[in-house]
Amino acid sequence: MDFSIAVHGGAGIILRSDLSKEQELLYRTGLKDALEAGYAILEKGGSALDAAEAAMCTIENEPVFNAGRGSVFTHEGRHEMDACIMDGYTMLAGAVTCVSNVRNPVKLARSIMENSEHVFLSGKGAEEFAHKMNLEFAPDEYFHTEYRLKQLAAIRDSNRTILDHMKVTDGDKKFGTGGAVCKDIHGNIAAATSTGGMTNKRYNRIGDTPIIGAGTYANNNTCAVSCTGHGEYFIRAVVAYDVSCLMEYKGLSLEEAARIVVNDKLVRMSGEGGLVAVDRFGNITMPFNSDGMYRGYMKSDGSSYIGIFKDELL
């Protein structure tokens, strides 16, 4: 059977004028590395779940993306990371929020799914569980990047948050989340998502990423979805699950269901962002209503694509 993988690395106001050639290359290379990590597993007959986790770990390990090592700083100068993973075959899921020093939060999310009776753990308790599972931790310095420190310094004394990369301006809106969706040769699908949240966030704010049905969802009968955007809107719209519901209950195609949710429903709510999704046949869609989204896919038929800007049409 055919297999496929799609990934994203965030969405928002992403313009050519904002990225140097060097920065653009870093993003494209990061997306390519994540795709290849997952594809290598799928090509050998591995599971969609393993491929999604591998792709997500690659993104978490790449400092240019706001997940894992590249996570933004909170107001207190710390990192609070969220992640989620879901298996479309078993409908099992694991999620984690507000954790620090866990090298790969998506691995913790999967461990919660497979080694506990729970779905969602947070903060110190989640970190305690990670230690129990012998997951790898890293010191604060591993997650500290000069670029993220400059972002925090620019707005720390204000009441503002910014939603990710590049320029720190009043119009800066970039939603930094990494995600992957996969379909394997066995016909199973899976989704994984990870984020560092918002620069200068307070009060242990949680977005859509770790919430099943909002930022992440997978069901073998319909699709696997990983979202990136202004999390509050994605939570209210239950975006990932809504795509699945439109397919299951109205019989819509993956592309049409995702289009309605991202370009109609979210737009009416003033919600900005996008998603990557794959259905049980391996079809992929990557809609977004923002100026850009770091995105790409690879399929077993040899086709592939990597894009950043809005005018890079498939």
Side-chain angles (χ1 to χ4, degrees), residues 31-258:
L31 292 168
K32 181 174 180 288
D33 290 345
L35 287 168
E36 290 179 345
Y39 189 92
I41 291 171
L42 296 171
E43 191 175 32
K44 295 175 183 176
S47 72
L49 192 67
D50 286 345
E53 180 186 5
M56 195 64 260
C57 283
T58 303
I59 289 175
E60 288 179 338
N61 293 340
E62 174 50 65
V64 299
F65 297 113
N66 178 18
R69 189 177 186 184
S71 293
V72 298
F73 285 88
T74 67
H75 179 76
E76 294 77 19
R78 301 177 65 251
H79 301 284
E80 291 178 356
M81 299 175 288
D82 306 335
C84 182
I85 195 166
M86 187 164 183
D87 182 353
Y89 174 63
T90 63
M91 298 292 289
L92 293 174
V96 62
T97 188
C98 294
V99 296
S100 301
N101 301 107
V102 178
R103 189 182 182 99
N104 289 110
V106 71
K107 289 187 176 182
L108 175 54
R110 182 168 181 178
S111 188
I112 292 167
M113 178 182 77
E114 295 181 336
N115 299 304
S116 82
E117 59 183 330
H118 308 300
V119 172
F120 203 170
L121 298 182
S122 68
K124 295 300 182 184
E127 293 165 16
E128 180 183 351
F129 184 79
H131 280 295
K132 182 179 179 181
M133 293 294 104
N134 295 315
L135 295 181
E136 188 174 0
F137 280 68
D140 290 343
E141 292 73 25
Y142 172 81
F143 301 92
H144 288 193
T145 64
E146 191 65 27
Y147 174 65
R148 299 301 189 197
L149 282 169
K150 288 180 179 178
Q151 281 186 317
L152 176 62
I155 63 168
R156 191 170 193 172
D157 294 331
S158 73
N159 290 320
R160 294 175 52 213
T161 57
I162 58 173
L163 297 163
D164 189 34
H165 320 294
M166 310 315 299
K167 298 185 299 181
V168 181
T169 68
D170 289 339
D172 189 38
K173 291 172 68 179
K174 293 185 175 64
F175 312 105
T177 305
V181 294
C182 302
K183 185 259 180 182
D184 63 34
I185 63 172
H186 311 290
N188 298 318
I189 59 178
T193 317
S194 183
T195 186
M198 294 180 176
T199 297
N200 205 38
K201 67 178 180 178
R202 301 188 186 190
Y203 316 120
N204 300 123
R205 177 263 182 190
I206 302 167
D208 64 304
T209 292
I211 299 176
I212 303 299
T216 310
Y217 189 72
N219 182 339
N220 265 14
N221 293 322
T222 53
C223 61
V225 183
S226 175
C227 300
T228 175
H230 195 153
E232 281 69 15
Y233 293 95
F234 279 65
I235 293 170
R236 294 170 192 149
V238 200
V239 167
Y241 184 59
D242 206 25
V243 174
S244 175
C245 283
L246 287 172
M247 295 176 68
E248 184 171 7
Y249 301 124
K250 295 195 72 172
L252 299 186
S253 67
L254 174 70
E255 185 173 4
E256 181 65 5

